[in-house]
Amino acid sequence: MMNWKVILNIAKTHLITKIRQTSIAALGVTFGIGSYITLVCFMTGLNTMLDDLILNQTPHIHIYNEIKPSKKQPLALYDKFDNSFNVVHSIKPKLSQKKIHNALPIIQYLEDDPNVKGALPQIKTSIFYMAGSIEIGGNLTGIHVMDEANLFNLKDYIVEGSPEALDITDNGILLGIGIAEKMSLSVGDRVQISTINGDVFPLKIVGFYQSGIADIDAIQSFANLKTVQRVLGETENYITDIHVKLEDIDLAFPMSKKIEQQFNLTAIDIKTANAQFETGTTIRNLITYAVSITLLIVAGFGIYNILNMLIYEKMNDIAILKATGFSGKDVQYIFMSQAMIIGFLGGILGLLIGYGLASLIGTLPFKTAALPTVTTYPVNINPLFFIIGFSFAMVSTFLAGYLPSKKAKKIDPVTIIRGQ
């Protein structure tokens, strides 16, 4: 019967007597795991920040009434042209409104679906911003302010002012920061907007919006839904867009197709709308995990080399152990125990160092004009990374210790003693 207490005592003695080699092996694990934790926490935090920059503002499903050219032109309605070849130039879209017909019942239908977290109406229109002699073309979006803040994190992109101020101000406007800079406007000032019909309305600036994308910030502004309806001279049921947020983003594509068929509207899911961005995210994640795994594998080879050398240095001890009655299996377990002890200690230290470095990075100031709400470097301290790191430390040390210990198991003590 194997005596684990004796085996562990011998393994401990071997490690202590060769403390230098033991420390180097443990440090190899420590720095490998520490580097992995630091890198993966920082890189995934950075990827999450970049994803949120786009995806937080993007609905899972965007529903609107797309105006398309008529499939059947007037020429096709005449029977006498059925057998002739006709070419129609300068095809114009059919006369129809941008608004969604029966938008309010559609929104109610969507909100009754248990898979839908929220369905919000919007009005999007093109306008001109006017201040003195300056005129800038842009877009005005009418929203339900507080619902938008809760579902799509609008508050995170307001650099001055608040959603509440916009919600309670009927003639208020949340102006893109790029527009404000070009027109030298401040919160509390009034800016005139002109619709495409030429109607001019003065609106009070209650805050500034900054998405982090300069092209958007130079044209985009928001106002209360009723304010935009009043500016356009439309009724309360005038809605041009519906933004849907789901409980599960993976349902976006099938649900968008169902909506298109059911309501004869255009519905774009988030993955289709951001296909190029999704590709970039996938590539960044692949690079992150490839580098992280490489660090762990290099650490594993370092442990193997050190344990292999340790066995050569312990040839005499192995011969004595076998001569005094220890079996080859006992010798193998002694060296396997050494490897697992090194992996355990190195793994724990690696987790502590990785956590410390990741936390330190998370406190370093990070300021950029494009992302005013981000004040420190983004770090994602996910417990799963620590579980993976420690598991890999134990598995790699087990594998790194198995081959050398198997070699020690087969050593013939007579050959070693005779060689002395």
Side-chain angles (χ1 to χ4, degrees):
M1 184 175 177
M2 194 172 298
N3 192 331
W4 278 105
K5 186 176 180 180
V6 175
I7 287 174
L8 291 176
N9 279 332
I10 295 173
K12 183 181 73 173
T13 302
H14 280 183
L15 292 174
I16 293 174
T17 53
K18 292 290 184 179
I19 191 66
R20 184 178 176 183
Q21 288 89 337
T22 302
S23 301
I24 292 173
L27 286 174
V29 181
T30 297
F31 288 119
I33 302 304
S35 300
Y36 163 76
I37 295 295
T38 305
L39 178 67
V40 77
C41 286
F42 176 63
M43 289 300 294
T44 54
L46 182 63
N47 289 344
T48 301
M49 183 194 73
L50 294 174
D51 290 347
D52 291 345
L53 180 64
I54 298 296
L55 302 182
N56 274 357
Q57 305 173 75
T58 306
H60 292 168
I61 302 176
H62 178 203
I63 305 170
Y64 61 100
N65 184 23
E66 185 177 6
I67 299 176
K68 302 176 182 178
S70 300
K71 291 183 179 180
K72 285 191 174 183
Q73 295 297 309
L75 190 66
L77 301 177
Y78 289 91
D79 295 337
K80 62 181 180 180
F81 293 115
D82 285 347
N83 298 321
S84 61
F85 179 76
N86 307 299
V87 179
V88 180
H89 295 282
S90 302
I91 297 176
K92 294 179 176 60
K94 60 185 178 181
L95 294 175
S96 62
Q97 291 183 320
K98 289 178 63 177
K99 80 169 188 177
I100 297 174
H101 297 285
N102 298 319
L104 298 180
I106 292 173
I107 291 172
Q108 186 60 51
Y109 169 81
L110 292 171
E111 289 186 335
D112 291 339
D113 191 319
N115 295 315
V116 175
K117 197 171 184 179
L120 303 183
Q122 287 193 354
I123 301 173
K124 294 183 179 179
T125 184
S126 299
I127 60 169
F128 286 97
Y129 305 99
M130 299 185 298
S133 60
I134 302 175
E135 292 186 4
I136 299 174
N139 300 321
L140 177 63
T141 302
I143 57 174
H144 281 165
V145 181
M146 299 314 298
D147 292 337
E148 201 77 28
N150 292 331
L151 282 180
F152 296 102
N153 305 303
L154 178 64
K155 189 174 183 179
D156 293 343
Y157 303 95
I158 298 178
V159 293
E160 193 171 344
S162 66
E164 292 79 10
L166 181 62
D167 188 44
I168 63 176
T169 308
D170 285 340
N171 64 338
I173 185 171
L174 183 67
L175 203 63
I177 192 71
I179 306 165
E181 291 174 351
K182 289 179 181 178
M183 306 181 84
S184 300
L185 296 171
S186 304
V187 173
D189 292 345
R190 289 188 177 274
V191 60
Q192 288 187 323
I193 65 167
S194 172
T195 65
I196 56 176
N197 296 325
D199 299 324
V200 178
F201 295 86
L203 297 178
K204 182 181 178 181
I205 300 172
V206 297
F208 293 136
Y209 166 86
Q210 186 169 7
S211 66
I213 303 173
D215 290 342
I216 294 178
D217 297 334
I219 60 172
Q220 183 64 55
S221 61
F222 296 91
N224 198 299
L225 192 71
K226 292 182 178 180
T227 300
V228 179
Q229 288 170 339
R230 187 166 58 251
V231 166
L232 297 176
E234 299 289 351
T235 59
E236 291 185 356
N237 65 350
Y238 182 82
I239 304 295
T240 62
D241 300 78
I242 300 173
H243 283 189
V244 181
K245 191 160 189 178
L246 304 176
E247 298 288 352
D248 183 1
I249 193 173
D250 292 329
L251 297 175
F253 181 75
M255 185 171 285
S256 66
K257 296 303 178 185
K258 179 182 176 183
I259 291 170
E260 286 186 335
Q261 294 175 357
Q262 191 168 356
F263 299 110
N264 194 28
L265 295 168
T266 301
I268 305 297
D269 67 284
I270 188 171
K271 292 185 178 179
T272 302
N274 298 280
Q276 292 180 336
F277 188 80
E278 288 284 334
T279 302
T281 299
T282 302
I283 292 173
R284 288 197 305 272
N285 286 334
L286 285 174
I287 293 172
T288 299
Y289 291 115
V291 173
S292 302
I293 291 171
T294 302
L295 286 172
L296 296 177
I297 292 174
V298 169
F301 276 110
I303 298 164
Y304 168 77
N305 289 331
I306 291 169
L307 290 176
N308 203 31
M309 292 301 298
L310 194 63
I311 287 175
Y312 280 112
E313 293 177 0
K314 293 289 183 181
M315 285 293 187
N316 290 339
D317 295 347
I318 294 170
I320 294 169
L321 287 171
K322 285 194 169 184
T324 54
F326 283 86
S327 65
K329 199 85 171 174
D330 293 334
V331 172
Q332 183 178 16
Y333 281 131
I334 289 171
F335 284 94
M336 285 294 297
S337 299
Q338 293 181 42
M340 298 305 291
I341 291 171
I342 290 172
F344 180 81
L345 296 176
I348 294 295
L349 287 173
L351 296 182
L352 294 174
I353 289 176
Y355 178 79
L357 289 175
S359 300
L360 178 63
I361 292 172
T363 61
L364 296 177
F366 175 70
K367 294 182 179 179
T368 173
L371 300 169
T373 56
V374 178
T375 56
T376 59
Y377 281 97
V379 174
N380 177 25
I381 300 180
N382 190 333
L384 179 63
F385 301 151
F386 292 80
I387 294 172
I388 292 173
F390 185 74
S391 300
F392 193 92
M394 298 305 293
V395 171
S396 62
T397 49
F398 175 83
L399 295 176
Y402 177 76
L403 294 177
S405 65
K406 192 175 180 182
K407 186 186 295 183
K409 173 184 176 181
K410 297 178 180 179
I411 290 175
D412 184 2
V414 176
T415 305
I416 296 172
I417 295 172
R418 183 181 298 156
Q420 297 294 323

